[in-house]
């Protein structure tokens, strides 16, 4: 078998070029992590085409609609996913289901709830209907739903103690065990937010689906 020297050279040099490219990407990522990247576009093409870097500060965020729909979505998904988790064939309902379902409910509340202003002219002035249902409310409601969609791992501890060890745990002890593990997880997420969330080069492909859905709803329903 005769080996062409030119083909051998291409086979050897190609991985070297790829490694050099990877080094440049890694260097760019390290520089991006050390700098503030809240207002710059992402170097990842998929993210740059999906996630906008602009922000409309006039949109109301913490509204009555957000609290009602977000709390209901969190409680409902938490109950359903935990209830079906113990079945032989578990059923899992993701936050995307709530993300789609709350769109008509949010617009319906925006049309039906009166826009009366309470405590007008005072420090605690507020209204139940500040205007059309917007994308920021939609995002917060989905965050609520996503928080309730996941099953806490500490539930396995409580279940194992009762089922396999035949010991009884009171409601408050079980609640403290679950809350402790959940708060610990959110705490670690907050600590590493600077490195895992804020850098423009850091991206999570799974979340791009939901971001695309947010933008689609914003364009077609607002």
């Amino acid at each position: 078998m005769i080996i062409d020297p030119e083909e051998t050279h291409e086979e050897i040099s190609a991985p070297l070029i790829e490694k050099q490219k990877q080094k440049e990407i890694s260097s760019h990522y390290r520089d991006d992590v050390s700098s503030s990247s809240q207002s710059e576009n992402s170097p990842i093409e998929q993210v740059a085409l999906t996630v906008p870097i602009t922000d409309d500060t006039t949109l109301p965020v913490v509204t009555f609609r957000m609290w009602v729909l977000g709390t209901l979505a969190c409680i409902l998904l938490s109950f359903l996913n935990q209830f079906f988790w113990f079945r032989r064939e578990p059923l899992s309902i993701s936050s995307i289901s709530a993300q789609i379902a709350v769109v008509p409910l949010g617009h319906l509340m925006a049309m039906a709830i009166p826009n009366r202003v309470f405590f007008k002219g005072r420090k605690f002035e507020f209204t139940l209907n500040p205007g059309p249902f917007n994308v920021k409310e939609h995002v917060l409601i989905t965050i609520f739903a996503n928080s309730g969609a996941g099953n806490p791992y500490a539930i396995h501890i409580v279940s194992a103690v009762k089922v396999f060890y035949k010991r009884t745990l009171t409601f408050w002890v079980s609640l403290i065990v679950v809350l402790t593990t959940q708060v610990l997880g959110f705490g670690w997420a907050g600590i590493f937010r600077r490195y895992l969330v804020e850098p423009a080069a850091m991206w999570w492909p799974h979340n791009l689906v939901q971001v695309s859905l947010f933008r689609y709803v914003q364009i077609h329903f607002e």
Side-chain angles (χ1 to χ4, degrees):
M1 180 178 180
I2 301 176
I3 300 176
D4 190 355
E6 295 183 357
E7 294 181 358
T8 305
H9 177 71
E10 291 178 359
E11 291 177 359
I12 296 176
S13 61
L16 297 178
I17 296 174
E18 187 67 26
K19 290 182 179 179
Q20 181 65 26
K21 185 177 180 181
Q22 291 177 358
K23 289 181 180 180
E24 293 177 358
I25 295 174
S26 300
S27 176
H28 178 77
Y29 172 73
R30 287 193 297 268
D31 296 338
D32 187 77
V33 169
S34 60
S35 63
S36 175
S37 57
Q38 295 181 355
S39 59
E40 62 179 311
N41 209 343
S42 174
I44 309 299
E45 182 180 1
Q46 292 87 340
V47 179
L49 294 174
T50 306
V51 182
I53 60 174
T54 58
D55 180 27
D56 187 357
T57 58
T58 61
L59 295 178
V61 182
V62 184
T63 63
F64 175 75
R65 298 185 298 248
M66 184 276 296
W67 282 111
V68 172
L69 295 178
T71 303
L72 289 177
C74 181
I75 294 175
L76 186 61
L77 288 186
S78 178
F79 171 77
L80 291 177
N81 285 333
Q82 194 62 59
F83 178 80
F84 289 110
W85 179 257
F86 294 102
R87 298 299 181 269
R88 186 179 299 273
E89 297 293 336
L91 173 65
S92 178
I93 304 176
S94 67
S95 59
I96 298 181
S97 303
Q99 182 180 358
I100 298 174
V102 299
V103 174
L105 295 177
H107 287 283
L108 179 62
M109 293 181 70
M111 293 186 297
I113 297 178
N115 55 1
R116 175 188 172 187
V117 179
F118 296 89
F119 304 106
K120 189 173 183 179
R122 300 184 181 181
K123 183 179 180 180
F124 301 101
E125 177 180 335
F126 73 94
T127 177
L128 299 180
N129 191 358
F133 185 70
N134 62 74
V135 64
K136 290 189 176 182
E137 293 176 289
H138 193 191
V139 171
L140 274 180
I141 294 171
T142 306
I143 293 175
F144 272 64
N146 190 61
S147 299
N151 298 317
Y153 289 112
I155 292 294
H156 298 170
I157 300 175
V158 178
S159 302
V161 169
K162 291 184 176 182
V163 175
F164 295 103
Y165 296 97
K166 308 302 179 181
R167 302 293 298 271
T168 302
L169 291 178
T170 64
F171 169 78
W172 295 110
V173 172
S174 303
L175 181 63
I176 292 175
V177 171
V178 174
L179 288 181
T180 301
T181 57
Q182 291 297 101
V183 172
L184 184 64
F186 281 114
W188 281 109
I191 292 175
F192 290 99
R193 178 179 178 180
R194 178 183 177 184
Y195 307 100
L196 301 179
V197 178
E198 293 181 357
M202 176 59 69
W203 68 303
W204 303 89
H206 176 74
N207 293 338
L208 291 182
V209 178
Q210 290 185 290
V211 175
S212 300
L213 183 56
F214 285 132
R215 297 194 64 183
Y216 176 83
V217 172
Q218 182 181 11
I219 294 174
H220 291 80
F221 291 90
E222 293 186 358

